[in-house]
Amino acid sequence: MRREKNQYIFASEMNRGHGHKVRNTILLILPILILTVWVLNITVSRRVTLEELRLTVLNLPDDLESYSILHLSDLHGARYGEKQKAFATALGTTRYSCVVMTGDMLGKDGDVEPLLELVALMPPDTPKFLIPGDTDGSLTESKAHSSLSVYADWAEKLTAAGVQILDVPVLVTREKGRIWFVPEELYAMDLESTQKIFQKQIRDLNDRATSLTADDAARLRALEYEVKRIDTLKEMRKEFLPTDIQVVLTHTPLTREYVHDLVSWGEKEDPFSMRYAGLILAGHYNGGQWRLPFVGAIYVPELGWFPEDSLVQGLSYLEGIPQYVSPGLGSDPHYEYQPGRVFNPPVMTRIVLTRKAN
């Protein structure tokens, strides 16, 4: 009896051969795909973009119509081309009324040079305001350093370059139009209690004036500065008018609950209040740092996986007050496992104030 050949054995050999071809094809295509995605990400995430947002402010005075704010945040000492050439390219001939920087602009160990290069691209007569972020360190220096100034070295260099570091509100006027730029923390500060604490610490240091160290002397200068700052703030609060526009600057975006509390606590008769805020500007999240196209941020340490994008960047409303969160410019070290920016271009935003409904 003749034994038939097992067709399945031959079929198996053919399938195995086909499987090898598929595997080899995948191994060939995969590196090309990875390289393509990598190049595409570099192209996207290294190209500085300038976005424009027209924001309706119903009580905006006529003299402030089209007032424009160039909003920057979270540079983290990044450089985009020699002398920040990519920023110069993105800005081109764009005009803006002022520049606002909402923190984390310095590099590692307080490296201020990349920021100074960026500031040098801006017209010298354009007002430039900055509040420190959580990675920038304190504005004042409470330990002995290279000078007798109360300010940190980085703050001294920025001030010399024409940047005003805000620790009290700043008023900008245009004929009859008045717009304040206010660090958010001032709304919630108990001025009297805080000042008394500083004054007590000053008395304690003065009681042992003959034995003060260099660090003690620096601490004393910082405390005296804080007392004077609170005195200045007390006087400035009297200058606020209900018709003034107040732009609130904060590094970390405010929450709806926090704004609700500040609005509720504020006295209606006191114009220096969050209830009179016309705009909140924030940063901090860098747009989530790593993003997926058409999806958004992958993971934000404080917000978890795939957070709602309005919490991370862009415009939202808190108690009727618009809050704009900058997508940021650099890479935050707090994203421990997400170095760099992935599918997340650095963004500067030109915010144009208008009374016209958009």
Side-chain angles (χ1 to χ4, degrees), residues 107-119:
K108 187 177 180 182
D109 299 323
D111 181 13
V112 71
E113 293 306 317
L115 177 54
L116 290 173
E117 293 172 2
L118 176 54
V119 169

PDB file of all heavy atoms in Angstrom, residues 107-119:
ATOM      1  N   GLY A 107      17.171  78.617  33.622  1.00  0.00           N
ATOM      2  CA  GLY A 107      17.677  77.269  33.431  1.00  0.00           C
ATOM      3  C   GLY A 107      18.166  76.668  34.731  1.00  0.00           C
ATOM      4  O   GLY A 107      17.944  77.197  35.821  1.00  0.00           O
ATOM      5  N   LYS A 108      18.876  75.565  34.607  1.00  0.00           N
ATOM      6  CA  LYS A 108      19.384  74.854  35.776  1.00  0.00           C
ATOM      7  C   LYS A 108      20.329  75.740  36.572  1.00  0.00           C
ATOM      8  O   LYS A 108      21.127  76.485  36.005  1.00  0.00           O
ATOM      9  CB  LYS A 108      20.102  73.578  35.320  1.00  0.00           C
ATOM     10  CG  LYS A 108      20.516  72.668  36.456  1.00  0.00           C
ATOM     11  CD  LYS A 108      21.156  71.394  35.916  1.00  0.00           C
ATOM     12  CE  LYS A 108      21.567  70.471  37.059  1.00  0.00           C
ATOM     13  NZ  LYS A 108      22.230  69.236  36.544  1.00  0.00           N
ATOM     14  N   ASP A 109      20.210  75.669  37.904  1.00  0.00           N
ATOM     15  CA  ASP A 109      21.057  76.446  38.821  1.00  0.00           C
ATOM     16  C   ASP A 109      20.948  77.950  38.562  1.00  0.00           C
ATOM     17  O   ASP A 109      21.917  78.697  38.720  1.00  0.00           O
ATOM     18  CB  ASP A 109      22.521  75.996  38.724  1.00  0.00           C
ATOM     19  CG  ASP A 109      22.707  74.542  39.106  1.00  0.00           C
ATOM     20  OD1 ASP A 109      22.020  74.090  40.028  1.00  0.00           O
ATOM     21  OD2 ASP A 109      23.535  73.859  38.466  1.00  0.00           O
ATOM     22  N   GLY A 110      19.757  78.392  38.146  1.00  0.00           N
ATOM     23  CA  GLY A 110      19.529  79.817  37.964  1.00  0.00           C
ATOM     24  C   GLY A 110      20.182  80.418  36.738  1.00  0.00           C
ATOM     25  O   GLY A 110      20.408  81.641  36.683  1.00  0.00           O
ATOM     26  N   ASP A 111      20.471  79.600  35.727  1.00  0.00           N
ATOM     27  CA  ASP A 111      21.094  80.106  34.497  1.00  0.00           C
ATOM     28  C   ASP A 111      20.135  81.076  33.805  1.00  0.00           C
ATOM     29  O   ASP A 111      19.070  80.694  33.319  1.00  0.00           O
ATOM     30  CB  ASP A 111      21.425  78.934  33.568  1.00  0.00           C
ATOM     31  CG  ASP A 111      22.102  79.385  32.283  1.00  0.00           C
ATOM     32  OD1 ASP A 111      22.535  80.550  32.223  1.00  0.00           O
ATOM     33  OD2 ASP A 111      22.193  78.567  31.335  1.00  0.00           O
ATOM     34  N   VAL A 112      20.534  82.334  33.731  1.00  0.00           N
ATOM     35  CA  VAL A 112      19.662  83.382  33.201  1.00  0.00           C
ATOM     36  C   VAL A 112      20.027  83.780  31.776  1.00  0.00           C
ATOM     37  O   VAL A 112      19.287  84.503  31.107  1.00  0.00           O
ATOM     38  CB  VAL A 112      19.703  84.617  34.130  1.00  0.00           C
ATOM     39  CG1 VAL A 112      21.045  85.335  34.024  1.00  0.00           C
ATOM     40  CG2 VAL A 112      18.551  85.568  33.849  1.00  0.00           C
ATOM     41  N   GLU A 113      21.145  83.292  31.253  1.00  0.00           N
ATOM     42  CA  GLU A 113      21.640  83.746  29.961  1.00  0.00           C
ATOM     43  C   GLU A 113      20.679  83.469  28.807  1.00  0.00           C
ATOM     44  O   GLU A 113      20.452  84.343  27.960  1.00  0.00           O
ATOM     45  CB  GLU A 113      23.017  83.130  29.672  1.00  0.00           C
ATOM     46  CG  GLU A 113      24.117  83.611  30.597  1.00  0.00           C
ATOM     47  CD  GLU A 113      24.231  85.136  30.622  1.00  0.00           C
ATOM     48  OE1 GLU A 113      24.161  85.749  29.531  1.00  0.00           O
ATOM     49  OE2 GLU A 113      24.395  85.704  31.712  1.00  0.00           O
ATOM     50  N   PRO A 114      20.081  82.257  28.699  1.00  0.00           N
ATOM     51  CA  PRO A 114      19.130  82.052  27.589  1.00  0.00           C
ATOM     52  C   PRO A 114      17.951  83.020  27.636  1.00  0.00           C
ATOM     53  O   PRO A 114      17.489  83.482  26.591  1.00  0.00           O
ATOM     54  CB  PRO A 114      18.662  80.601  27.795  1.00  0.00           C
ATOM     55  CG  PRO A 114      19.778  79.945  28.529  1.00  0.00           C
ATOM     56  CD  PRO A 114      20.315  81.000  29.450  1.00  0.00           C
ATOM     57  N   LEU A 115      17.492  83.360  28.832  1.00  0.00           N
ATOM     58  CA  LEU A 115      16.393  84.318  28.964  1.00  0.00           C
ATOM     59  C   LEU A 115      16.851  85.715  28.567  1.00  0.00           C
ATOM     60  O   LEU A 115      16.118  86.455  27.896  1.00  0.00           O
ATOM     61  CB  LEU A 115      15.850  84.314  30.388  1.00  0.00           C
ATOM     62  CG  LEU A 115      14.738  85.324  30.700  1.00  0.00           C
ATOM     63  CD1 LEU A 115      13.574  85.188  29.723  1.00  0.00           C
ATOM     64  CD2 LEU A 115      14.249  85.157  32.136  1.00  0.00           C
ATOM     65  N   LEU A 116      18.060  86.089  28.953  1.00  0.00           N
ATOM     66  CA  LEU A 116      18.586  87.401  28.568  1.00  0.00           C
ATOM     67  C   LEU A 116      18.704  87.508  27.045  1.00  0.00           C
ATOM     68  O   LEU A 116      18.439  88.570  26.463  1.00  0.00           O
ATOM     69  CB  LEU A 116      19.952  87.635  29.219  1.00  0.00           C
ATOM     70  CG  LEU A 116      19.944  87.852  30.740  1.00  0.00           C
ATOM     71  CD1 LEU A 116      21.362  87.905  31.280  1.00  0.00           C
ATOM     72  CD2 LEU A 116      19.193  89.128  31.101  1.00  0.00           C
ATOM     73  N   GLU A 117      19.072  86.410  26.385  1.00  0.00           N
ATOM     74  CA  GLU A 117      19.149  86.414  24.916  1.00  0.00           C
ATOM     75  C   GLU A 117      17.762  86.622  24.310  1.00  0.00           C
ATOM     76  O   GLU A 117      17.618  87.311  23.292  1.00  0.00           O
ATOM     77  CB  GLU A 117      19.750  85.099  24.428  1.00  0.00           C
ATOM     78  CG  GLU A 117      21.216  84.910  24.799  1.00  0.00           C
ATOM     79  CD  GLU A 117      21.730  83.523  24.464  1.00  0.00           C
ATOM     80  OE1 GLU A 117      20.955  82.715  23.897  1.00  0.00           O
ATOM     81  OE2 GLU A 117      22.907  83.233  24.761  1.00  0.00           O
ATOM     82  N   LEU A 118      16.759  86.029  24.933  1.00  0.00           N
ATOM     83  CA  LEU A 118      15.388  86.202  24.454  1.00  0.00           C
ATOM     84  C   LEU A 118      14.911  87.635  24.678  1.00  0.00           C
ATOM     85  O   LEU A 118      14.311  88.249  23.784  1.00  0.00           O
ATOM     86  CB  LEU A 118      14.471  85.212  25.168  1.00  0.00           C
ATOM     87  CG  LEU A 118      12.968  85.295  24.875  1.00  0.00           C
ATOM     88  CD1 LEU A 118      12.682  85.216  23.385  1.00  0.00           C
ATOM     89  CD2 LEU A 118      12.227  84.180  25.616  1.00  0.00           C
ATOM     90  N   VAL A 119      15.188  88.186  25.838  1.00  0.00           N
ATOM     91  CA  VAL A 119      14.782  89.562  26.151  1.00  0.00           C
ATOM     92  C   VAL A 119      15.444  90.543  25.193  1.00  0.00           C
ATOM     93  O   VAL A 119      14.833  91.554  24.787  1.00  0.00           O
ATOM     94  CB  VAL A 119      15.135  89.901  27.612  1.00  0.00           C
ATOM     95  CG1 VAL A 119      14.978  91.394  27.891  1.00  0.00           C
ATOM     96  CG2 VAL A 119      14.260  89.089  28.573  1.00  0.00           C
TER      97      VAL A 119
END
